[in-house]
Amino acid sequence: MPPKGTNDLAPRGCEVCHQRDRLLRCTGCLTVYYCSRDHQVSDRPAHKNACVDVKKARAELERIEQKLRTETASGPFGPDIFISQAGHFWSIDETRPYLEARCRLAETIFRRFGFDPGRVDGVQAALDHFMEVSRLARSETMGIRCLIPAFLIRLGRDQEAYDFLKAWAISRGRPDANGGGDMPHPEIKGANVLEPLHNGWTEAGQIDLHDAVVMTVIKFRVLSDLQRMQNAARGLADTFPREITDLIRRELVGSAVVTRPEVLSLDTAELGRLIDSIKFQIKRLFNAVHVRNSHLWEMLLVTLTTGGVRDTDPAETSIPGTRGEAFMTISQSLEAWVEVPNAPHQIKGVIRAMLTDGEVLDRMRAAMMGRR
Ligand SMILES: [Zn+2]
Ligand SMILES: [Zn+2]
């Protein structure tokens, strides 16, 4: 089964006529598809530059991999460095060029086929490379692990994004976290997205800004799933038997909610209480992020409504609380925000509800007015 499309990504189909049966894959980029030789030939002029770009990046990765394997085969790392040193690639000088080449290939695929128009196969292929980099280099400092949850969400794989963030939150809290950057993470699968928030996303002193922001995306998406279920329940309750409404609900929700059968059969009152608790979690995340970096929400809103923020100092990106850090965090999570239905409206709504003293709203207003 080819991956399904999402809100914003085109499903796998012919580049020319979008037909979805019996497709042939382009052998250059390995990322786009055609229904026939005719359509491939007619698309070649438009496709050629992107295709060659990706093909070159892959050839370079293969060259570096071959060189690495040849040079290390008889050394201290054993016959297969990809097995013996998995997890430690960032700490070994010989393996860093491989990681960098693999990231370049992922970025090239994403730049060429991940947006404008976004294709599900472009995002999927870039994500696969990022996941492999993250597996080989658990302590990498290139920020790849920050991109992974956003890409998963872009593909509608919220459950995996939640599991990934939870594993990181648990690893960070371990006593050996600082000295053991290459340590394997706990294997987490099917964690409950409705459970209380981990301290690593909300508590001052423990919060990871990036993870808290992406967690907000996940909770927004859960909230809209629950609200859709609630609306369907209201509309259908008297018309169909319970088994049918449960089936309909399954079709309305994303990957993180569909795995929770106990939620699919809640009545409207219970659903209402669950919706309130998720709204409360979102407010807590907003507050925690705001305390950690007071620029972030305002900058995100401006980015989503006007398409970008430019006046940040690149040197600031690693300094907590700065505009530069907010900018970096937003860049890494932007893919995920694309998949939040009506994100600017939702963000404004939470900010309004969060306010007691008017301080944040005044800042927002000033920011929005200044840029309109
Ligand atoms: Zn076609
Ligand atoms: Zn191609």
Side-chain angles (χ1 to χ4, degrees):
M1 273 281 283
K4 282 202 297 192
T6 65
N7 298 340
D8 203 59
L9 291 178
R12 181 177 300 173
C14 172
E15 286 289 297
V16 178
C17 67
H18 308 296
Q19 185 199 290
R20 294 167 56 182
D21 293 325
R22 282 194 302 246
L23 297 167
L24 311 160
R25 186 163 70 161
C26 172
T27 54
C29 58
L30 305 179
T31 314
V32 306
Y33 291 78
Y34 296 97
C35 66
S36 61
R37 180 89 188 120
D38 278 358
H39 277 177
Q40 177 168 29
V41 171
S42 73
D43 192 44
R44 193 63 196 163
H47 177 60
K48 191 177 169 195
N49 284 346
C51 188
V52 168
D53 239 19
V54 170
K55 195 178 174 180
K56 268 191 200 153
R58 185 181 315 95
E60 177 63 4
L61 175 66
E62 282 164 4
R63 188 187 66 77
I64 289 176
E65 175 174 346
Q66 203 45 55
K67 184 165 170 273
L68 175 64
R69 285 187 184 281
T70 314
E71 287 175 0
T72 57
S74 55
F77 300 122
D80 191 345
I81 192 168
F82 282 80
I83 293 171
S84 68
Q85 298 304 313
H88 311 290
F89 269 37
W90 191 250
S91 337
I92 302 170
D93 288 342
E94 290 88 331
T95 44
R96 279 200 191 186
Y98 174 84
L99 295 174
E100 284 157 356
R102 194 139 189 181
C103 286
R104 271 196 302 277
L105 172 58
E107 281 154 14
T108 308
I109 294 172
F110 181 69
R111 199 176 61 244
R112 290 305 201 163
F113 304 118
F115 58 93
D116 267 354
R119 299 160 181 86
V120 77
D121 284 294
V123 176
Q124 177 74 59
L127 173 65
D128 289 345
H129 290 296
F130 287 144
M131 298 269 259
E132 192 53 15
V133 166
S134 173
R135 190 185 71 82
L136 289 168
R138 280 186 289 264
S139 63
E140 55 88 8
T141 56
M142 298 174 290
I144 298 308
R145 79 118 192 132
C146 292
L147 294 171
I148 289 175
F151 273 63
L152 286 168
I153 292 168
R154 186 85 195 276
L155 291 164
R157 290 157 62 180
D158 296 43
Q159 179 66 58
E160 287 162 81
Y162 185 77
D163 292 341
F164 187 91
L165 291 172
K166 191 172 176 188
W168 270 92
I170 292 171
S171 310
R172 260 199 314 274
R174 284 192 309 217
D176 60 357
N178 290 330
D182 285 0
M183 293 275 290
H185 300 299
E187 262 301 304
I188 292 183
K189 279 206 166 67
N192 186 353
V193 72
L194 305 165
E195 68 195 355
L197 295 165
H198 193 282
N199 286 345
W201 307 321
T202 56
E203 296 305 312
Q206 295 179 47
I207 184 173
D208 178 290
L209 185 63
H210 171 271
D211 289 4
V213 169
V214 181
M215 188 51 59
T216 313
V217 174
I218 294 178
K219 297 288 179 174
F220 264 130
R221 282 167 56 81
V222 166
L223 179 64
S224 70
D225 281 358
L226 296 176
Q227 286 168 333
R228 264 198 302 275
M229 279 172 59
Q230 179 81 309
N231 293 338
R234 289 203 177 108
L236 300 170
D238 305 326
T239 323
F240 295 110
R242 183 63 169 266
E243 307 79 70
I244 305 287
T245 47
D246 286 3
L247 273 179
I248 293 171
R249 284 174 163 192
R250 289 184 67 83
E251 292 301 313
L252 294 174
V253 300
S255 68
V257 174
V258 81
T259 49
R260 313 238 71 85
E262 71 278 14
V263 174
L264 292 173
S265 55
L266 292 179
D267 67 30
T268 46
E270 292 162 332
L271 258 181
R273 281 193 291 277
L274 188 55
I275 286 171
D276 286 344
S277 82
I278 299 297
K279 282 184 178 166
F280 181 70
Q281 290 188 351
I282 292 175
K283 261 187 244 173
R284 277 191 68 201
L285 287 162
F286 260 75
N287 263 317
V289 166
H290 181 70
V291 168
R292 174 67 176 64
N293 188 312
S294 63
H295 305 285
L296 196 135
W297 294 124
E298 125 189 1
M299 198 186 275
L300 176 63
L301 208 44
V302 173
T303 306
L304 291 172
T305 46
T306 67
V309 179
R310 287 196 171 76
D311 53 345
T312 61
D313 177 358
E316 273 186 352
T317 53
S318 57
I319 304 172
T322 58
R323 284 177 58 82
E325 183 198 41
F327 178 77
M328 180 62 143
T329 307
I330 290 167
S331 320
Q332 288 168 331
S333 67
L334 211 51
E335 285 308 303
W337 287 102
V338 171
E339 298 293 337
V340 175
N342 205 357
H345 175 78
Q346 299 237 49
I347 294 167
K348 277 186 234 169
V350 181
I351 289 163
R352 239 173 254 131
M354 193 170 84
L355 287 174
T356 46
D357 57 7
E359 182 252 338
V360 188
L361 189 59
D362 286 345
R363 295 177 55 104
M364 295 283 170
R365 240 184 238 133
M368 296 304 291
M369 302 284 259
R371 283 169 173 90
R372 197 163 285 153

